[in-house]
Amino acid sequence: MKLPRISAFATLLLVPALLLTLAACATSKKTEADAPKAAIAPAAPAAAVPVRDTFIIPGERAGPILLGMSLEKLIEVVGEPVSSTAARMPSGRSALLYRYADPDASPDGALLVMVRETDQTVYSIRLDGIESFQTREGVRYGSSEARVRASFGKPQSILESGGGEIPRTYCYLSGLAVRLNVTGNVESLTVFPGSDVRKICKAQ
């Protein structure tokens, strides 16, 4: 079977038409590829779960109070303090010491939170005479010196009250200071930045 012959004139018309069709297809594909895809919204961060335990974590927290926490967050978490006094950080910079009453505290006991004046954040947390707070090792108000040593070992620094007699304070690089009373039992525990251990207690 003989194919019909295409005239030169028809060929001249057909070639541009084919070129235009190919260009249109290429543009269409490019446009689809270049079209910005719908932005996928990032997943919302999980809401911070408030701490509800009463663990003392050296260098980190005491229950729901965290080192570095803002004053605003502190009030949101534990409420307004019952009193405040001017204080000094170990570096000599000014701070405020906020006192909180605790239902589980001894008559002289309290929860004391030191807040830096420079940036209004928590520097240290001291628990005086509060038995309900304890370390994961079980060290709490009233624990023996033997329990402290068995749990944390030899302290990196010791603050003596005078003449080497107790009461004295053991300081650990993990960020925990343990004050012992005259009978050698835990009187208070303080959580602080571990890097400041030698500022909190004198070197041995």
Side-chain angles (χ1 to χ4, degrees), residues 65-144:
I65 305 172
L66 283 65
L67 297 185
M69 174 183 275
S70 69
L71 180 56
E72 184 181 0
K73 188 68 177 175
L74 175 69
I75 293 171
E76 181 185 319
V77 170
V78 290
E80 294 187 39
V82 294
S83 66
S84 64
T85 54
R88 291 278 173 190
M89 291 169 53
S91 64
R93 292 186 176 183
S94 58
L96 286 166
L97 194 64
Y98 293 107
R99 182 186 183 90
Y100 287 88
D102 190 284
D104 297 320
S106 65
D108 296 326
L111 192 157
L112 302 163
V113 182
M114 183 176 284
V115 174
R116 300 177 184 88
E117 280 219 276
T118 52
D119 60 3
Q120 299 290 287
T121 59
V122 173
Y123 172 74
S124 66
I125 309 145
R126 192 171 96 205
L127 301 117
D128 288 346
I130 305 176
E131 194 174 354
S132 57
F133 282 80
Q134 64 173 18
T135 68
R136 292 196 187 279
E137 297 78 9
V139 174
R140 63 172 75 194
Y141 169 67
S143 292
S144 67

Side-chain angles (χ1 to χ4, degrees), residues 46-74:
V49 179
V51 176
R52 299 193 185 281
D53 63 44
T54 52
F55 279 121
I56 296 168
I57 311 297
E60 292 183 24
R61 66 182 177 89
I65 305 172
L66 283 65
L67 297 185
M69 174 183 275
S70 69
L71 180 56
E72 184 181 0
K73 188 68 177 175
L74 175 69

